[in-house]
Amino acid sequence: QEEVVITKPEIDSDGDGVYDKLDKCPNTPEGSTVDANGCKIVLDDDHDGVPNSIDKCPNTPEGVVVNADGCPKTINLSINFANNSYAVQQTSLPKIDAFANFLKKYKYYNAEIVGYTDNRGSEAYNKKLSQKRAEAVRNLLIQKGVDASRLTAIGMGEANPVASNDTAEGRAQNRRIEANLTLN
């Protein structure tokens, strides 16, 4: 006589494809991508810290600081200026080229070009000087092929220093350009 063995069917209560007896995360939400243990895998293809499922900018370049939507916030373009000048230095041109190429590649970004000064001079003068710095960089980006409608320029004067204004080195760092990126 042949022996018949009756086994209970395997059960997958949460429907993630991993049977309950092997599932170390038994209540994963339906539709989740899970590993062999049944635990949810959070995918972040561009490695910006924001899961693909909520990332509105899924191709953020590596190293760019992002907001909760996965879109870049502020980029320091590392473009600095001589004291009391809005002339863009030759050493900054490769940085402007690189940012122009970035904007031409990622056409879904608009950029607000933000100029700053150190704290020497009057606040009113610094505001005007920083505006001229931002406009100089904006104009160069346009010359490099970025659509003018995607660029704005604003001068913030001596606001938001990134270094101490008590030293020449700190003041040099504060005479800078940043870019705030937004989706268009």
Side-chain angles (χ1 to χ4, degrees), residues 52-72:
N52 289 353
S53 60
I54 60 170
D55 197 336
K56 293 182 180 169
C57 298
N59 298 312
T60 306
E62 193 150 336
V64 173
V65 178
V66 298
N67 61 20
D69 293 328
C71 298

Side-chain angles (χ1 to χ4, degrees), residues 9-129:
E10 295 287 349
I11 298 172
D12 178 13
S13 300
D14 59 6
D16 62 3
V18 178
Y19 295 127
D20 287 358
K21 71 179 182 181
L22 301 173
D23 199 335
K24 295 183 177 156
C25 300
N27 296 312
T28 52
E30 191 173 330
S32 296
T33 303
V34 298
D35 60 18
N37 294 318
C39 297
K40 187 174 179 178
I41 299 173
V42 177
L43 299 175
D44 179 15
D45 292 334
D46 59 2
H47 309 289
D48 62 1
V50 177
N52 289 353
S53 60
I54 60 170
D55 197 336
K56 293 182 180 169
C57 298
N59 298 312
T60 306
E62 193 150 336
V64 173
V65 178
V66 298
N67 61 20
D69 293 328
C71 298
K73 291 195 294 189
T74 299
I75 299 173
N76 184 341
L77 297 180
S78 299
I79 298 170
N80 296 90
F81 294 84
N83 184 49
N84 199 28
S85 173
Y86 59 91
V88 176
Q89 299 172 349
Q90 288 292 319
T91 55
S92 293
L93 295 179
K95 298 168 188 172
I96 291 173
D97 286 340
F99 190 58
N101 290 336
F102 168 84
L103 290 172
K104 288 187 288 188
K105 182 176 180 181
Y106 299 101
K107 295 186 184 303
Y108 45 85
Y109 289 123
N110 289 335
E112 177 184 59
I113 308 304
V114 186
Y116 292 94
T117 65
D118 60 33
N119 69 347
R120 292 189 297 179
S122 74
E123 192 172 327
Y125 178 80
N126 285 338
K127 187 93 162 149
K128 288 177 188 171
L129 179 59

Side-chain angles (χ1 to χ4, degrees), residues 117-184:
T117 65
D118 60 33
N119 69 347
R120 292 189 297 179
S122 74
E123 192 172 327
Y125 178 80
N126 285 338
K127 187 93 162 149
K128 288 177 188 171
L129 179 59
S130 64
Q131 181 69 38
K132 288 179 181 179
R133 288 175 175 169
E135 288 171 2
V137 171
R138 180 182 182 270
N139 290 337
L140 286 171
L141 291 168
I142 293 167
Q143 289 174 19
K144 301 288 181 186
V146 179
D147 188 332
S149 68
R150 295 174 51 212
L151 299 169
T152 58
I154 185 170
M156 297 298 291
E158 55 197 62
N160 307 322
V162 293
S164 170
N165 279 304
D166 294 334
T167 65
E169 295 82 18
R171 288 189 298 274
Q173 289 176 39
N174 289 331
R175 297 188 299 266
R176 70 193 188 282
I177 293 290
E178 293 180 349
N180 294 323
L181 296 176
T182 56
L183 290 175
N184 57 18

